[in-house]
Each structure stands twice: as C-alpha cells, then as structure tokens.
Amino acid sequence: MGLTKFFTGGKKMQHIRAHVLVCGGTGCKSAGSGKVIESFKTEIEKKGLSEEVMVVETGCHGFCEHGPLVIIYPEGTFYCQVTPEDVAEIVESHLYKGRIVERLLYHEPLSLEAIPSYNDIEFYKKQERRVLANCGRINPEAIEEYIAIGGYEGLAKALTTMTTEEVVEEVKKSGLRGRGGAGFPTGLKWSFAKASVNAKKYIICNADEGDPGAFMDRSVLEGDPHRVLEGMAIAAYAIGSDEGYIYVRAEYPLAIKRLRVAIAQAEQMGFLGNNIFGTKFNFTLHIKEGAGAFVCGEETALMASIEGRRGMPRTRPPFPAVAGLWGKPTNINNVETFANVPLILQKGADWYCTCGTEKSKGTKVFALTGKINNTGLAEVPMGITMREIIYDIGGGITNGKKFKAVQIGGPSGGCLPESMLDLPVDYDSLISAGAMMGSGGLVVMDEDTCMVDVARFFLNFTQSESCGKCTPCREGTKRMLEILTRITEGCGRDGDIELLEDMAGKIKDSALCGLGQTAPNPVLSTLKYFRHEYEAHIYEKRCPAHACGKLAGYTITDACRGCGICAKACPVQAIAGKPKSKYVIDQVVCIKCGACMTACPFKAIAKG
C-alpha cells in the first residue's frame, strides 16, 4: 500500500499489520457495504485486533457486479459479495489465524499460493488504471492518503517551477482531449481562455453526467476527489483564474459529501485558498448542485444554471473562453479530463503519451452496462478494441446469448453491430463508424434486443430532456419519436424510413446545441446497420427480436398435449382445439398478451 508511514484519521500506522479495504462506492453501499464495514470494526474489536488491523472505506473498485468488495493488504486478497454475516469468519480465519476464506474468493485457487488479487482477475488484466488508480485503494476522505501517493505534487510543480505558458504547453504536448464527449484538445481549449484579457476568469468542472447508465464521473468524485480538485487548481493557474465551480447533480449525495470534505481539507492544508504553496496564486472552489436536467450538461446551459437562470443553451459565438460565466472568460472541462491533469504535470507529457493512439492519447473510463456479465467501471488504453472490452474485460454476454450491438456515447451516441467489434476505440474511429466516444457510457445488447425499440428508447429520453428552446429539437425529435413509436406498434408506413433519415439530417444541421444536433444519432446508426429490422417492422409487421409486444405473435408447437389450459387462459377466446389434440391460435383475434405462454405447463407455446 505504501501508506504505513503516514497518518490516517490522526492514528499512527507504523504498527498496523493489515488493512481491510471495503468498497464504499454507491454501488457497493447499495449492496450493504456500510453494514460490512461496521461488522468488521465490531469483530476486530472483539478479537482485540484494533491496534493491528485498520478498516478503510474506499471508493469504487469498478468490479460492481461482484460487490460488496473487500481487499485485505498486504496480501491483496480479493473477496467478493461479502455480507455482514461473512465478516466474523474473515476476521477469525484470515486476520486472526492467517487462513484464507476460500469460499469468498473471486476464484477458488488451486493452492493457497494462488490467492487472487487485481492482476489475477480477467476484469483488470487489460485495464490501464490511471484516472482510477486510487479508487478502491485509498480513503477518499483522508487527504493524507492522497498526499502519500503523490497527491498535489503536480500542482506544486506547476506553481513553483513552471510558468503558466509552460503548463499550457505541457498539456498540449500530452495530447489530452476532453473526456466529456466532443474530444476537443484540452491544452488548446485552455490557451483560448488564457488569451482572453480580463481581470476575472472562471474554471468549471462539469460533473452533471446525465447519460443513462453512466457513472464514471460519480465514481471518480466518490473515490478520489482530491485528484479533481488538483486538476482544477492547475487549470486555474494556467489560464489566470482565481475561482471555480464544480457543477454536480444533486442525485449524487455521496459525491457531494466527499467533495465538501475534500475542499475543506485542501483549504486547511493550504492547497486551496490564498498564496498556495507560498506563491501569489489564489484559488477558491464552490459546489453547485444541479437539479438533474440533461440539457445542463451542455456548457452554456450549465453556466446559466450556475447563474440562477433556467438551464437553456445559447448560441455561440461568443464562446465561453471569451464570455462565459457572468460574461467572464471561462474554461469548462469534465471530471475525467481534470483527473488526468495531475498525472501529466507530475510525470510529464512524454510519459502520458506512452499510452493510447497517435491522435487519442491516454486512457478512457467506460461504464459497462446492459447484457454483459461484468457490469462496472473499466479504464482502458485508447485504441483497445470493442471486442476486448466486452469479452475480455466484460466477460461476454449474459446467459450465453449472442452479441447483437453496443450503444456507445450515451443517448447521443450510436449503435455498433457485431461486424464492428474489432474497431479500435478512439475518437476518430468511432466518429467514422457513426458513433462517438461521448462521456463513456457503454450499453451492451444481445440477440433479444429490438434495435428499432432501442432507437425509440434513446430518442424518447433526449426528446423528453429537450429544453424546448429551438424548433428543430423541440418539434423535430417529437415527430421522429411518433414515427418510431408507430413502427414498434405495428403501424409503420411505406416512406417512414426515408422520412426519419430526412428529419434526422435537418435536426443535426439546424438544432441550437449539441444535445439537439446529436439526438438523431441512435436512429441514424440503427438505420445504417440494422435497416432490415425497420423493414421487417414496417412491411412484414413483425419484430425479428420478438421484443415489440404488439408485433409479437404466439404459436402452439407440436409439444402441445391438448390440455386446453391455454384456451382457458386466453382473455379473448382466440385459442381453439379438441382435448388431447393440438390447439390453434387465431392470429386475427389474438391480442398478443402472452397469457397463453405464461399458463402453458408444457412450454408448448412459442413467441415469434
């Protein structure tokens, strides 16, 4: 751990022989890790081990599917799905007697020499944990632990040995691109704000993270908040700002709590406030809690919200670097972007460039969700293939189903088919394929997923989250959603596909902000790769995935024993037959409710 010579919570640690690290991220907390922590403290005290063993609540390890997670150092023993009832056995066997509790290991080892740790688990083997390096390994509410692993060294280096121009050039040299979605070069963005002549400038961290299924920024804020504060302070120094805001949605109470603790600690230690590191640089940070509007992820709408106005985007130019928050030059980056900055300053741009591709340097954090075995967070080097993320890290598709598509980039991203699994994951490759990196949401779909319905789902989200300011987004997405809904309900018409394509193009060209301009992406990408599914819905009145209820027909197979239970269950008397003979469903009368399939004890009714 490298922490034994430092202090935690005011307690000297030279004599501590074991650290019990328990995941305290939102996912594990919802699974009961808080009670696990309390059980450890109680059982350790019972055994008289309080002076030898320390329990540490950490941030997210990323392996959310198998939480609550417990890792015991110095061995690095990795226990998963730990319950409060398991704790007494771990304390008795492992901490008191030195015997591994094999039943709680992620994989049962062939011998006690094969105790699984991070490097032994497939989920972590292909990851390059830079931004997430501290998450799950330190107490996020103890600034001493962040300092112990090099925290605030990047800020100290910038303030005491580098000019503001040198800091900007180092970030440019690193090739860091914004991790919030657009992928704009970070150093170049900073240079614009730096060049603006004004006595007052602002730094903003966009931690709104409104994409469905996305929790990358939340996990960084919960598990390593000081890294984000340090990155913001470096950026503030570089552009000449003395004040900043972290815009975080109120639905992230744990992240907000830990940010408040981190800011107070940094102020007390002199890393925030006045004359930082004995220089003339001053920097003050505030937290602004957002109300959860997706549109506030757009930078001009976000600034309006901070100012106390309704979160609605405005036309650009002027860009925020010239006239942003309260009309002052402003630089906005997201959580993951700021979290990369301390590493660049501490270890240098040349080191940072050792990972990634020529035009996409470094790593990217993804939230793995959907029909995938290992849901959670994964940080991978740019250029890794989608196949490696889904199968090697994600463990493949649940229930042995066949992979069908992956939605990358959130509601504004695109759906990529199986033929694109070997596509390198970097900004330019994804855009050329009709998708986008986005903030890092990655939703995996299996063979039972209807791609028309997926497009309808994401468009429904963006349409309902539209601020309504511009006609293309407000009305255009609504008309597209009506068409998609009609298609999934079996009422699609000849010309609907062409109409969708035409409307999508017009919305992309004329919507006011990025939300509206990218809203048609899921429709366009599914039309590009799964056009045959749209055609089946419209012209054959069937859903190839058997997922659209109003298009899902039911048939009785040869396994029917003529018991008549299905006929009795049918609410519209659409099933007829004779006892001990095969029954038949009248497809004209059938309302496709599925009651027959539910009632049949012999699994003789098929959907399709």
Side-chain angles (χ1 to χ4, degrees):
M1 286 291 292
L3 303 180
T4 53
K5 61 180 179 179
F6 290 89
F7 293 79
T8 298
K11 183 177 181 179
K12 289 188 176 182
M13 299 179 60
Q14 285 90 337
H15 57 286
I16 297 295
R17 66 171 176 83
H19 291 78
V20 179
L21 274 58
V22 184
C23 178
T26 294
C28 282
K29 272 188 173 294
S30 66
S33 68
K35 293 182 179 179
V36 171
I37 292 171
E38 292 305 314
S39 295
F40 265 112
K41 291 178 179 178
T42 300
E43 294 298 326
I44 287 171
E45 186 175 353
K46 284 182 182 178
K47 284 293 181 182
L49 301 175
S50 299
E51 296 299 319
E52 303 175 43
V53 178
M54 175 165 285
V55 180
V56 180
E57 181 177 350
T58 72
C60 179
H61 292 264
F63 209 15
C64 306
E65 182 70 23
H66 296 276
L69 301 175
V70 174
I71 302 180
I72 298 180
Y73 286 96
E75 305 95 323
T77 308
F78 193 98
Y79 292 123
C80 64
Q81 296 178 334
V82 178
T83 67
E85 291 72 28
D86 296 322
V87 171
E89 184 179 359
I90 296 175
V91 173
E92 172 72 25
S93 296
H94 189 143
L95 297 174
Y96 190 69
K97 297 180 179 179
R99 300 171 184 171
I100 303 300
V101 183
E102 297 187 31
R103 68 178 183 84
L104 295 173
L105 296 176
Y106 173 62
H107 287 303
E108 296 229 343
L110 296 176
S111 67
L112 290 182
E113 286 72 36
I115 299 170
S117 60
Y118 270 82
N119 295 330
D120 301 310
I121 296 173
E122 291 295 329
F123 181 77
Y124 295 105
K125 281 184 178 179
K126 288 196 173 182
Q127 292 194 45
E128 177 76 22
R129 292 172 70 85
R130 291 184 170 187
V131 170
L132 300 180
N134 301 334
C135 294
R137 298 179 65 86
I138 66 171
N139 180 354
E141 297 186 22
I143 191 172
E144 297 89 351
E145 296 204 10
Y146 182 64
I147 294 171
I149 51 177
Y152 290 105
E153 286 183 7
L155 177 60
K157 179 181 178 181
L159 294 183
T160 60
T161 69
M162 301 173 72
T163 64
T164 57
E165 291 80 6
E166 287 173 335
V167 173
V168 172
E169 288 304 312
E170 192 72 8
V171 175
K172 280 185 179 180
K173 183 181 176 182
S174 73
L176 174 65
R177 297 172 66 169
R179 299 300 197 250
F184 192 81
T186 303
L188 185 60
K189 191 174 188 178
W190 288 12
S191 68
F192 295 153
K194 177 177 173 53
S196 294
V197 180
N198 199 297
K200 185 68 177 181
K201 298 180 183 180
Y202 291 98
I203 285 286
I204 296 177
C205 177
N206 182 349
D208 188 59
E209 194 169 51
D211 291 5
F215 54 100
M216 302 77 59
D217 292 350
R218 186 197 75 198
S219 295
V220 174
L221 294 176
E222 290 176 356
D224 197 10
H226 284 285
R227 185 193 290 270
V228 181
L229 304 189
E230 183 180 5
M232 293 184 70
I234 293 169
Y237 171 69
I239 73 165
S241 168
D242 66 352
E243 190 171 2
Y245 284 84
I246 302 176
Y247 188 92
V248 57
R249 53 181 43 222
E251 293 97 322
Y252 286 178
L254 183 59
I256 293 171
K257 171 182 176 288
R258 289 180 175 169
L259 274 173
R260 293 194 191 283
V261 171
I263 290 173
Q265 291 175 341
E267 289 174 342
Q268 185 178 13
M269 298 284 282
F271 301 144
L272 292 177
N274 297 326
N275 307 121
I276 301 172
F277 282 107
T279 68
K280 295 181 180 180
F281 174 61
N282 306 324
F283 186 54
T284 304
L285 260 179
H286 313 282
I287 296 174
K288 170 65 177 179
E289 296 184 34
F294 182 64
V295 72
C296 286
E298 196 276 338
E299 58 185 17
T300 60
L302 183 154
M303 290 186 293
S305 179
I306 292 177
E307 293 171 356
R309 298 183 288 116
R310 181 178 178 185
M312 298 180 76
R314 63 163 172 80
T315 55
R316 295 177 295 178
F319 291 93
V322 176
L325 191 63
W326 287 295
K328 306 299 183 183
T330 304
N331 182 84
I332 305 176
N333 292 116
N334 85 323
V335 170
E336 189 178 345
T337 308
F338 280 125
N340 274 283
V341 172
L343 293 172
I344 295 170
L345 269 293
Q346 182 185 4
K347 299 187 177 183
D350 291 337
W351 169 85
Y352 190 80
C353 290
T354 59
C355 181
T357 66
E358 181 181 354
K359 294 183 179 180
S360 299
K361 302 295 184 184
T363 61
K364 182 72 190 78
V365 181
F366 287 100
L368 310 183
T369 59
K371 302 298 180 67
I372 190 168
N373 284 312
N374 296 334
T375 57
L377 280 185
E379 184 177 1
V380 296
M382 291 283 194
I384 193 173
T385 66
M386 195 68 68
R387 186 184 302 276
E388 290 175 287
I389 296 175
I390 294 172
Y391 286 94
D392 296 342
I393 297 173
I397 313 304
T398 56
N399 301 317
K401 295 280 187 175
K402 184 179 179 183
F403 170 86
K404 187 171 193 177
V406 58
Q407 169 79 2
I408 185 168
S412 303
C415 294
L416 301 179
E418 186 176 18
S419 61
M420 308 295 287
L421 276 176
D422 293 313
L423 180 77
V425 177
D426 60 60
Y427 289 99
D428 302 313
S429 297
L430 290 174
I431 290 173
S432 66
M436 61 185 289
M437 185 80 71
S439 59
L442 197 152
V443 183
V444 178
M445 292 162 268
D446 66 12
E447 59 193 272
D448 296 330
T449 306
C450 171
M451 301 312 297
V452 184
D453 192 50
V454 165
R456 183 203 60 77
F457 170 82
F458 282 111
L459 193 64
N460 179 66
F461 176 84
T462 50
Q463 200 282 320
S464 65
E465 292 289 343
S466 171
C467 74
K469 185 173 184 177
C470 74
T471 303
C473 182
R474 182 185 67 246
E475 300 298 329
T477 57
K478 187 173 183 180
R479 298 288 86 82
M480 289 183 70
L481 180 60
E482 289 172 351
I483 295 170
L484 287 170
T485 301
R486 192 174 70 237
I487 293 173
T488 59
E489 291 179 350
C491 300
R493 299 193 290 257
D494 188 19
D496 277 348
I497 293 177
E498 292 73 20
L499 183 56
L500 283 171
E501 291 176 322
D502 181 62
M503 293 180 70
K506 287 181 169 61
I507 293 170
K508 287 180 72 70
D509 292 338
S510 58
L512 175 62
C513 77
L515 186 153
Q517 292 162 8
T518 57
N521 283 352
V523 180
L524 291 173
S525 62
T526 50
L527 279 170
K528 180 178 181 179
Y529 297 114
F530 301 95
R531 195 182 192 92
H532 61 281
E533 291 202 19
Y534 283 83
E535 293 171 344
H537 280 72
I538 295 170
Y539 302 115
E540 302 172 30
K541 303 302 177 186
R542 68 180 183 87
C543 173
H546 313 307
C548 296
K550 294 189 177 181
L551 287 173
Y554 293 86
T555 57
I556 299 177
T557 69
D558 292 337
C560 177
R561 300 188 182 183
C563 67
I565 293 176
C566 60
K568 294 177 183 178
C570 180
V572 293
Q573 291 77 51
I575 304 176
K578 296 180 180 180
K580 298 184 180 181
S581 298
K582 181 181 176 182
Y583 278 61
V584 177
I585 300 175
D586 186 334
Q587 299 296 335
V588 176
V589 179
C590 177
I591 61 172
K592 303 175 177 61
C593 66
C596 56
M597 176 180 276
T598 301
C600 180
F602 305 111
K603 302 186 185 303
I605 299 178
K607 188 178 180 181

